[in-house]
Amino acid sequence: MMRGKLWVRLAPFLSKRYVSSSSSPSCSAIQPWLFVGLGNPGEKYQSTRHNVGFDMIDAFADSQNISLTKNHFKALFGMVDGVPVLLAKPQTYINLSGESAGALAAYYKLPLHRVVVAYDDTDLPCGVLRLQPKGGYGRHNGLKSVIYHFRKNREFGRLRIGIGRPPGQMDPKAFVLQKFNKTGRERIDSAIKEGADILKMVVSKGLTEAARVANVDQKYKHLVSHDQQLL
């Protein structure tokens, strides 16, 4: 019953190539992807390190001419015309991101291997990306919330966006809420464009193959010690 309702809601956004003419609609539609970017809503937080997950979703949406205008499950909501992809920027504050991500995945009955969460990561140099099929949450409370609302299941995709480590004794909480300097912003903007291409590859090739290809390309980026200290 729920699969049938899902197909009805997504049918206008599914191209014919995803539907078998010999099967019933409720069984033949491909499962959509859900891409979630973590960040804080409001002008105050725009362009900060903590909002690069939002930036990633915006870049992917722009590349596909998607307008993120619908508000659903505490998120801005959009679809790729002709490709089954749901995009979300949770409008809770970042530490409550799971309230939105969990509700979306549950409502659309999505298996977690069809979910990718994009977020800032201080364990990667500024501008370096990593795509992974599963993992923990490290020190990221937004990702911790997502895992909690996924019933503590950690087997969902992550697109980690490196922002570098805070310098010296700087409070990490203050660091992630600051904006990048010119060099850092340029590297992040470049990485965001690469990340949008990586998400396209996820749709076309699947998470495992996209991770294999993307992570090789990212492996040796910015191997300079001071990149970890970018302000």
Side-chain angles (χ1 to χ4, degrees):
M1 183 68 174
M2 287 301 298
R3 288 281 296 177
K5 290 181 179 180
L6 171 62
W7 190 91
V8 169
R9 290 180 64 86
L10 295 182
F13 303 96
L14 297 176
S15 65
K16 292 180 180 179
R17 69 179 180 273
Y18 294 121
V19 181
S20 169
S21 60
S22 62
S23 302
S24 64
S26 62
C27 297
S28 58
I30 192 170
Q31 290 173 318
W33 286 94
L34 170 62
F35 295 158
V36 181
L38 303 190
N40 286 310
E43 187 175 345
K44 174 182 177 181
Y45 299 102
Q46 288 180 2
S47 301
T48 61
R49 293 183 176 92
H50 229 10
N51 271 38
V52 294
F54 274 15
D55 294 342
M56 185 68 73
I57 295 300
D58 286 339
F60 183 81
D62 288 345
S63 73
Q64 300 297 317
N65 295 316
I66 307 166
S67 177
L68 295 174
T69 57
K70 296 182 180 179
N71 200 314
H72 194 50
F73 290 120
K74 301 181 183 178
L76 298 176
F77 182 76
M79 289 187 181
V80 179
D81 189 13
V83 180
V85 178
L86 313 177
L87 304 179
K89 293 164 56 180
Q91 298 297 287
T92 60
Y93 283 97
I94 193 168
N95 290 353
L96 302 176
S97 298
E99 292 181 8
S100 173
L104 279 166
Y107 184 82
Y108 288 104
K109 298 293 182 181
L110 295 178
L112 294 189
H113 66 265
R114 303 290 293 188
V115 177
V116 178
V117 179
Y119 63 97
D120 57 293
D121 195 324
T122 58
D123 288 333
L124 290 175
C126 184
V128 174
L129 305 173
R130 288 287 185 276
L131 181 63
Q132 296 176 310
K134 60 182 179 179
Y137 60 85
R139 295 176 292 275
H140 201 293
N141 288 327
L143 197 62
K144 182 179 180 180
S145 172
V146 171
I147 292 173
Y148 176 80
H149 285 276
F150 283 168
R151 299 184 179 181
K152 300 183 180 180
N153 189 329
R154 302 183 179 199
E155 296 190 2
F156 58 91
R158 302 107 191 286
L159 182 54
R160 300 164 55 200
I161 307 164
I163 61 171
R165 294 185 184 277
Q169 300 299 312
M170 185 176 185
D171 183 355
K173 293 180 181 179
F175 177 75
V176 298
L177 294 178
Q178 288 184 349
K179 296 185 179 183
F180 296 92
N181 69 357
K182 182 179 178 180
T183 301
R185 189 71 247 178
E186 288 174 352
R187 291 183 177 178
I188 285 296
D189 287 344
S190 177
I192 293 298
K193 292 179 181 178
E194 294 174 21
D197 290 336
I198 290 172
L199 291 178
K200 293 178 196 175
M201 197 184 337
V202 169
V203 175
S204 63
K205 296 186 177 182
L207 184 56
T208 300
E209 178 62 14
R212 185 188 69 79
V213 174
N215 291 340
V216 168
D217 291 341
Q218 295 287 318
K219 188 173 182 179
Y220 298 108
K221 281 180 65 177
H222 311 320
L223 290 182
V224 180
S225 61
H226 71 267
D227 287 336
Q228 295 279 4
Q229 308 294 332
L230 277 173
L231 287 172

PDB file of all heavy atoms in Angstrom, residues 11-41:
ATOM      1  N   ALA A  11       5.542   9.599  -9.336  1.00  0.00           N
ATOM      2  CA  ALA A  11       5.350   9.281 -10.744  1.00  0.00           C
ATOM      3  C   ALA A  11       5.610  10.456 -11.677  1.00  0.00           C
ATOM      4  O   ALA A  11       6.241  10.298 -12.716  1.00  0.00           O
ATOM      5  CB  ALA A  11       3.945   8.720 -10.963  1.00  0.00           C
ATOM      6  N   PRO A  12       5.150  11.687 -11.353  1.00  0.00           N
ATOM      7  CA  PRO A  12       5.404  12.795 -12.271  1.00  0.00           C
ATOM      8  C   PRO A  12       6.878  13.117 -12.445  1.00  0.00           C
ATOM      9  O   PRO A  12       7.258  13.771 -13.402  1.00  0.00           O
ATOM     10  CB  PRO A  12       4.676  13.981 -11.611  1.00  0.00           C
ATOM     11  CG  PRO A  12       3.671  13.356 -10.709  1.00  0.00           C
ATOM     12  CD  PRO A  12       4.314  12.098 -10.219  1.00  0.00           C
ATOM     13  N   PHE A  13       7.720  12.643 -11.509  1.00  0.00           N
ATOM     14  CA  PHE A  13       9.143  12.975 -11.545  1.00  0.00           C
ATOM     15  C   PHE A  13       9.991  11.822 -12.074  1.00  0.00           C
ATOM     16  O   PHE A  13      11.200  11.929 -12.157  1.00  0.00           O
ATOM     17  CB  PHE A  13       9.629  13.361 -10.146  1.00  0.00           C
ATOM     18  CG  PHE A  13       8.853  14.506  -9.579  1.00  0.00           C
ATOM     19  CD1 PHE A  13       7.781  14.276  -8.727  1.00  0.00           C
ATOM     20  CD2 PHE A  13       9.174  15.805  -9.897  1.00  0.00           C
ATOM     21  CE1 PHE A  13       7.054  15.328  -8.204  1.00  0.00           C
ATOM     22  CE2 PHE A  13       8.451  16.868  -9.375  1.00  0.00           C
ATOM     23  CZ  PHE A  13       7.390  16.626  -8.535  1.00  0.00           C
ATOM     24  N   LEU A  14       9.353  10.694 -12.412  1.00  0.00           N
ATOM     25  CA  LEU A  14      10.081   9.530 -12.883  1.00  0.00           C
ATOM     26  C   LEU A  14       9.984   9.443 -14.397  1.00  0.00           C
ATOM     27  O   LEU A  14       8.904   9.476 -14.961  1.00  0.00           O
ATOM     28  CB  LEU A  14       9.512   8.240 -12.271  1.00  0.00           C
ATOM     29  CG  LEU A  14       9.616   8.114 -10.749  1.00  0.00           C
ATOM     30  CD1 LEU A  14       8.933   6.846 -10.285  1.00  0.00           C
ATOM     31  CD2 LEU A  14      11.064   8.121 -10.307  1.00  0.00           C
ATOM     32  N   SER A  15      11.130   9.333 -15.074  1.00  0.00           N
ATOM     33  CA  SER A  15      11.095   9.176 -16.516  1.00  0.00           C
ATOM     34  C   SER A  15      10.685   7.751 -16.857  1.00  0.00           C
ATOM     35  O   SER A  15      10.796   6.834 -16.041  1.00  0.00           O
ATOM     36  CB  SER A  15      12.474   9.477 -17.113  1.00  0.00           C
ATOM     37  OG  SER A  15      13.425   8.538 -16.685  1.00  0.00           O
ATOM     38  N   LYS A  16      10.245   7.533 -18.074  1.00  0.00           N
ATOM     39  CA  LYS A  16       9.719   6.227 -18.470  1.00  0.00           C
ATOM     40  C   LYS A  16      10.762   5.128 -18.380  1.00  0.00           C
ATOM     41  O   LYS A  16      10.434   3.965 -18.206  1.00  0.00           O
ATOM     42  CB  LYS A  16       9.163   6.303 -19.890  1.00  0.00           C
ATOM     43  CG  LYS A  16       7.917   7.176 -19.998  1.00  0.00           C
ATOM     44  CD  LYS A  16       7.408   7.218 -21.424  1.00  0.00           C
ATOM     45  CE  LYS A  16       6.158   8.091 -21.527  1.00  0.00           C
ATOM     46  NZ  LYS A  16       5.661   8.163 -22.925  1.00  0.00           N
ATOM     47  N   ARG A  17      12.039   5.507 -18.482  1.00  0.00           N
ATOM     48  CA  ARG A  17      13.058   4.461 -18.463  1.00  0.00           C
ATOM     49  C   ARG A  17      13.143   3.756 -17.118  1.00  0.00           C
ATOM     50  O   ARG A  17      13.737   2.704 -16.994  1.00  0.00           O
ATOM     51  CB  ARG A  17      14.428   5.042 -18.833  1.00  0.00           C
ATOM     52  CG  ARG A  17      15.037   5.978 -17.809  1.00  0.00           C
ATOM     53  CD  ARG A  17      16.402   6.456 -18.300  1.00  0.00           C
ATOM     54  NE  ARG A  17      17.034   7.357 -17.368  1.00  0.00           N
ATOM     55  CZ  ARG A  17      16.837   8.665 -17.357  1.00  0.00           C
ATOM     56  NH1 ARG A  17      15.979   9.214 -18.190  1.00  0.00           N
ATOM     57  NH2 ARG A  17      17.477   9.427 -16.495  1.00  0.00           N
ATOM     58  N   TYR A  18      12.558   4.333 -16.069  1.00  0.00           N
ATOM     59  CA  TYR A  18      12.604   3.715 -14.755  1.00  0.00           C
ATOM     60  C   TYR A  18      11.415   2.791 -14.514  1.00  0.00           C
ATOM     61  O   TYR A  18      11.307   2.186 -13.473  1.00  0.00           O
ATOM     62  CB  TYR A  18      12.624   4.786 -13.663  1.00  0.00           C
ATOM     63  CG  TYR A  18      13.876   5.614 -13.660  1.00  0.00           C
ATOM     64  CD1 TYR A  18      13.811   6.988 -13.829  1.00  0.00           C
ATOM     65  CD2 TYR A  18      15.122   5.021 -13.495  1.00  0.00           C
ATOM     66  CE1 TYR A  18      14.966   7.751 -13.834  1.00  0.00           C
ATOM     67  CE2 TYR A  18      16.272   5.781 -13.498  1.00  0.00           C
ATOM     68  CZ  TYR A  18      16.192   7.142 -13.664  1.00  0.00           C
ATOM     69  OH  TYR A  18      17.321   7.896 -13.669  1.00  0.00           O
ATOM     70  N   VAL A  19      10.474   2.733 -15.463  1.00  0.00           N
ATOM     71  CA  VAL A  19       9.258   1.977 -15.239  1.00  0.00           C
ATOM     72  C   VAL A  19       9.132   0.873 -16.271  1.00  0.00           C
ATOM     73  O   VAL A  19       9.204   1.114 -17.469  1.00  0.00           O
ATOM     74  CB  VAL A  19       8.016   2.892 -15.312  1.00  0.00           C
ATOM     75  CG1 VAL A  19       6.745   2.102 -15.049  1.00  0.00           C
ATOM     76  CG2 VAL A  19       8.148   4.033 -14.319  1.00  0.00           C
ATOM     77  N   SER A  20       8.940  -0.353 -15.818  1.00  0.00           N
ATOM     78  CA  SER A  20       8.762  -1.479 -16.711  1.00  0.00           C
ATOM     79  C   SER A  20       7.326  -1.543 -17.189  1.00  0.00           C
ATOM     80  O   SER A  20       6.394  -1.514 -16.399  1.00  0.00           O
ATOM     81  CB  SER A  20       9.128  -2.784 -15.982  1.00  0.00           C
ATOM     82  OG  SER A  20       8.724  -3.894 -16.747  1.00  0.00           O
ATOM     83  N   SER A  21       7.125  -1.643 -18.514  1.00  0.00           N
ATOM     84  CA  SER A  21       5.772  -1.685 -19.054  1.00  0.00           C
ATOM     85  C   SER A  21       5.065  -2.982 -18.732  1.00  0.00           C
ATOM     86  O   SER A  21       3.857  -3.082 -18.835  1.00  0.00           O
ATOM     87  CB  SER A  21       5.830  -1.506 -20.582  1.00  0.00           C
ATOM     88  OG  SER A  21       6.604  -2.543 -21.173  1.00  0.00           O
ATOM     89  N   SER A  22       5.810  -3.994 -18.319  1.00  0.00           N
ATOM     90  CA  SER A  22       5.208  -5.289 -18.045  1.00  0.00           C
ATOM     91  C   SER A  22       4.879  -5.493 -16.584  1.00  0.00           C
ATOM     92  O   SER A  22       4.359  -6.521 -16.205  1.00  0.00           O
ATOM     93  CB  SER A  22       6.156  -6.409 -18.514  1.00  0.00           C
ATOM     94  OG  SER A  22       7.373  -6.330 -17.796  1.00  0.00           O
ATOM     95  N   SER A  23       5.223  -4.494 -15.732  1.00  0.00           N
ATOM     96  CA  SER A  23       5.012  -4.649 -14.298  1.00  0.00           C
ATOM     97  C   SER A  23       4.043  -3.594 -13.815  1.00  0.00           C
ATOM     98  O   SER A  23       3.849  -2.555 -14.441  1.00  0.00           O
ATOM     99  CB  SER A  23       6.345  -4.493 -13.539  1.00  0.00           C
ATOM    100  OG  SER A  23       7.277  -5.444 -13.997  1.00  0.00           O
ATOM    101  N   SER A  24       3.437  -3.812 -12.642  1.00  0.00           N
ATOM    102  CA  SER A  24       2.540  -2.824 -12.081  1.00  0.00           C
ATOM    103  C   SER A  24       3.343  -1.664 -11.528  1.00  0.00           C
ATOM    104  O   SER A  24       4.469  -1.838 -11.071  1.00  0.00           O
ATOM    105  CB  SER A  24       1.718  -3.449 -10.944  1.00  0.00           C
ATOM    106  OG  SER A  24       2.570  -3.839  -9.886  1.00  0.00           O
ATOM    107  N   PRO A  25       2.805  -0.452 -11.549  1.00  0.00           N
ATOM    108  CA  PRO A  25       3.552   0.726 -11.084  1.00  0.00           C
ATOM    109  C   PRO A  25       4.033   0.598  -9.658  1.00  0.00           C
ATOM    110  O   PRO A  25       5.108   1.046  -9.321  1.00  0.00           O
ATOM    111  CB  PRO A  25       2.526   1.860 -11.229  1.00  0.00           C
ATOM    112  CG  PRO A  25       1.585   1.386 -12.289  1.00  0.00           C
ATOM    113  CD  PRO A  25       1.502  -0.084 -12.101  1.00  0.00           C
ATOM    114  N   SER A  26       3.257  -0.028  -8.796  1.00  0.00           N
ATOM    115  CA  SER A  26       3.615  -0.085  -7.391  1.00  0.00           C
ATOM    116  C   SER A  26       4.849  -0.929  -7.147  1.00  0.00           C
ATOM    117  O   SER A  26       5.479  -0.837  -6.108  1.00  0.00           O
ATOM    118  CB  SER A  26       2.440  -0.646  -6.569  1.00  0.00           C
ATOM    119  OG  SER A  26       2.146  -1.960  -6.980  1.00  0.00           O
ATOM    120  N   CYS A  27       5.225  -1.756  -8.102  1.00  0.00           N
ATOM    121  CA  CYS A  27       6.376  -2.646  -7.906  1.00  0.00           C
ATOM    122  C   CYS A  27       7.569  -2.256  -8.769  1.00  0.00           C
ATOM    123  O   CYS A  27       8.683  -2.666  -8.493  1.00  0.00           O
ATOM    124  CB  CYS A  27       5.995  -4.097  -8.223  1.00  0.00           C
ATOM    125  SG  CYS A  27       4.720  -4.772  -7.148  1.00  0.00           S
ATOM    126  N   SER A  28       7.341  -1.484  -9.847  1.00  0.00           N
ATOM    127  CA  SER A  28       8.382  -1.333 -10.844  1.00  0.00           C
ATOM    128  C   SER A  28       9.173  -0.033 -10.728  1.00  0.00           C
ATOM    129  O   SER A  28      10.219   0.099 -11.335  1.00  0.00           O
ATOM    130  CB  SER A  28       7.767  -1.402 -12.245  1.00  0.00           C
ATOM    131  OG  SER A  28       6.783  -0.399 -12.384  1.00  0.00           O
ATOM    132  N   ALA A  29       8.672   0.974 -10.017  1.00  0.00           N
ATOM    133  CA  ALA A  29       9.376   2.251  -9.926  1.00  0.00           C
ATOM    134  C   ALA A  29      10.653   2.080  -9.110  1.00  0.00           C
ATOM    135  O   ALA A  29      10.647   1.458  -8.058  1.00  0.00           O
ATOM    136  CB  ALA A  29       8.488   3.300  -9.294  1.00  0.00           C
ATOM    137  N   ILE A  30      11.746   2.671  -9.619  1.00  0.00           N
ATOM    138  CA  ILE A  30      13.006   2.587  -8.885  1.00  0.00           C
ATOM    139  C   ILE A  30      12.914   3.421  -7.619  1.00  0.00           C
ATOM    140  O   ILE A  30      12.215   4.435  -7.571  1.00  0.00           O
ATOM    141  CB  ILE A  30      14.163   3.085  -9.772  1.00  0.00           C
ATOM    142  CG1 ILE A  30      15.518   2.738  -9.149  1.00  0.00           C
ATOM    143  CG2 ILE A  30      14.055   4.575 -10.022  1.00  0.00           C
ATOM    144  CD1 ILE A  30      16.685   2.995 -10.077  1.00  0.00           C
ATOM    145  N   GLN A  31      13.609   2.979  -6.573  1.00  0.00           N
ATOM    146  CA  GLN A  31      13.605   3.750  -5.335  1.00  0.00           C
ATOM    147  C   GLN A  31      14.403   5.037  -5.513  1.00  0.00           C
ATOM    148  O   GLN A  31      15.465   5.036  -6.119  1.00  0.00           O
ATOM    149  CB  GLN A  31      14.219   2.921  -4.205  1.00  0.00           C
ATOM    150  CG  GLN A  31      13.349   1.749  -3.772  1.00  0.00           C
ATOM    151  CD  GLN A  31      14.076   0.870  -2.767  1.00  0.00           C
ATOM    152  OE1 GLN A  31      15.250   0.590  -2.922  1.00  0.00           O
ATOM    153  NE2 GLN A  31      13.368   0.444  -1.751  1.00  0.00           N
ATOM    154  N   PRO A  32      13.894   6.139  -4.996  1.00  0.00           N
ATOM    155  CA  PRO A  32      14.629   7.408  -5.144  1.00  0.00           C
ATOM    156  C   PRO A  32      15.827   7.473  -4.203  1.00  0.00           C
ATOM    157  O   PRO A  32      15.952   6.691  -3.266  1.00  0.00           O
ATOM    158  CB  PRO A  32      13.584   8.461  -4.755  1.00  0.00           C
ATOM    159  CG  PRO A  32      12.659   7.737  -3.833  1.00  0.00           C
ATOM    160  CD  PRO A  32      12.603   6.320  -4.325  1.00  0.00           C
ATOM    161  N   TRP A  33      16.704   8.415  -4.494  1.00  0.00           N
ATOM    162  CA  TRP A  33      17.775   8.780  -3.581  1.00  0.00           C
ATOM    163  C   TRP A  33      17.306   9.931  -2.714  1.00  0.00           C
ATOM    164  O   TRP A  33      16.503  10.764  -3.147  1.00  0.00           O
ATOM    165  CB  TRP A  33      19.021   9.219  -4.350  1.00  0.00           C
ATOM    166  CG  TRP A  33      19.762   8.107  -4.998  1.00  0.00           C
ATOM    167  CD1 TRP A  33      19.628   7.657  -6.286  1.00  0.00           C
ATOM    168  CD2 TRP A  33      20.774   7.288  -4.396  1.00  0.00           C
ATOM    169  NE1 TRP A  33      20.482   6.609  -6.517  1.00  0.00           N
ATOM    170  CE2 TRP A  33      21.200   6.357  -5.385  1.00  0.00           C
ATOM    171  CE3 TRP A  33      21.358   7.248  -3.136  1.00  0.00           C
ATOM    172  CZ2 TRP A  33      22.188   5.414  -5.133  1.00  0.00           C
ATOM    173  CZ3 TRP A  33      22.340   6.307  -2.888  1.00  0.00           C
ATOM    174  CH2 TRP A  33      22.744   5.399  -3.873  1.00  0.00           C
ATOM    175  N   LEU A  34      17.820  10.002  -1.498  1.00  0.00           N
ATOM    176  CA  LEU A  34      17.614  11.142  -0.623  1.00  0.00           C
ATOM    177  C   LEU A  34      18.972  11.743  -0.291  1.00  0.00           C
ATOM    178  O   LEU A  34      19.818  11.081   0.301  1.00  0.00           O
ATOM    179  CB  LEU A  34      16.895  10.723   0.663  1.00  0.00           C
ATOM    180  CG  LEU A  34      16.827  11.770   1.789  1.00  0.00           C
ATOM    181  CD1 LEU A  34      16.062  13.010   1.337  1.00  0.00           C
ATOM    182  CD2 LEU A  34      16.195  11.174   3.043  1.00  0.00           C
ATOM    183  N   PHE A  35      19.201  12.991  -0.711  1.00  0.00           N
ATOM    184  CA  PHE A  35      20.427  13.719  -0.389  1.00  0.00           C
ATOM    185  C   PHE A  35      20.081  14.785   0.645  1.00  0.00           C
ATOM    186  O   PHE A  35      19.244  15.652   0.398  1.00  0.00           O
ATOM    187  CB  PHE A  35      21.026  14.388  -1.626  1.00  0.00           C
ATOM    188  CG  PHE A  35      21.509  13.427  -2.683  1.00  0.00           C
ATOM    189  CD1 PHE A  35      21.651  13.841  -4.003  1.00  0.00           C
ATOM    190  CD2 PHE A  35      21.830  12.113  -2.373  1.00  0.00           C
ATOM    191  CE1 PHE A  35      22.105  12.976  -4.981  1.00  0.00           C
ATOM    192  CE2 PHE A  35      22.283  11.226  -3.343  1.00  0.00           C
ATOM    193  CZ  PHE A  35      22.420  11.662  -4.656  1.00  0.00           C
ATOM    194  N   VAL A  36      20.745  14.728   1.794  1.00  0.00           N
ATOM    195  CA  VAL A  36      20.496  15.651   2.901  1.00  0.00           C
ATOM    196  C   VAL A  36      21.768  16.440   3.186  1.00  0.00           C
ATOM    197  O   VAL A  36      22.837  15.858   3.374  1.00  0.00           O
ATOM    198  CB  VAL A  36      20.073  14.891   4.177  1.00  0.00           C
ATOM    199  CG1 VAL A  36      19.788  15.873   5.306  1.00  0.00           C
ATOM    200  CG2 VAL A  36      18.866  14.002   3.914  1.00  0.00           C
ATOM    201  N   GLY A  37      21.663  17.758   3.222  1.00  0.00           N
ATOM    202  CA  GLY A  37      22.790  18.595   3.607  1.00  0.00           C
ATOM    203  C   GLY A  37      22.557  19.149   5.002  1.00  0.00           C
ATOM    204  O   GLY A  37      21.460  19.611   5.316  1.00  0.00           O
ATOM    205  N   LEU A  38      23.574  19.097   5.856  1.00  0.00           N
ATOM    206  CA  LEU A  38      23.434  19.596   7.219  1.00  0.00           C
ATOM    207  C   LEU A  38      23.912  21.038   7.315  1.00  0.00           C
ATOM    208  O   LEU A  38      24.901  21.434   6.690  1.00  0.00           O
ATOM    209  CB  LEU A  38      24.231  18.718   8.192  1.00  0.00           C
ATOM    210  CG  LEU A  38      23.892  17.224   8.200  1.00  0.00           C
ATOM    211  CD1 LEU A  38      24.581  16.540   9.379  1.00  0.00           C
ATOM    212  CD2 LEU A  38      22.393  16.966   8.223  1.00  0.00           C
ATOM    213  N   GLY A  39      23.202  21.827   8.126  1.00  0.00           N
ATOM    214  CA  GLY A  39      23.557  23.223   8.326  1.00  0.00           C
ATOM    215  C   GLY A  39      22.563  23.901   9.237  1.00  0.00           C
ATOM    216  O   GLY A  39      21.633  23.265   9.749  1.00  0.00           O
ATOM    217  N   ASN A  40      22.758  25.185   9.458  1.00  0.00           N
ATOM    218  CA  ASN A  40      21.844  25.986  10.272  1.00  0.00           C
ATOM    219  C   ASN A  40      21.053  26.942   9.379  1.00  0.00           C
ATOM    220  O   ASN A  40      21.627  27.565   8.486  1.00  0.00           O
ATOM    221  CB  ASN A  40      22.623  26.818  11.302  1.00  0.00           C
ATOM    222  CG  ASN A  40      23.147  25.969  12.447  1.00  0.00           C
ATOM    223  OD1 ASN A  40      22.405  25.198  13.050  1.00  0.00           O
ATOM    224  ND2 ASN A  40      24.431  26.100  12.744  1.00  0.00           N
ATOM    225  N   PRO A  41      19.746  27.070   9.611  1.00  0.00           N
ATOM    226  CA  PRO A  41      18.952  27.999   8.810  1.00  0.00           C
ATOM    227  C   PRO A  41      19.193  29.446   9.242  1.00  0.00           C
ATOM    228  O   PRO A  41      19.629  29.703  10.363  1.00  0.00           O
ATOM    229  CB  PRO A  41      17.514  27.570   9.113  1.00  0.00           C
ATOM    230  CG  PRO A  41      17.584  27.022  10.515  1.00  0.00           C
ATOM    231  CD  PRO A  41      18.935  26.349  10.613  1.00  0.00           C
TER     232      PRO A  41
END
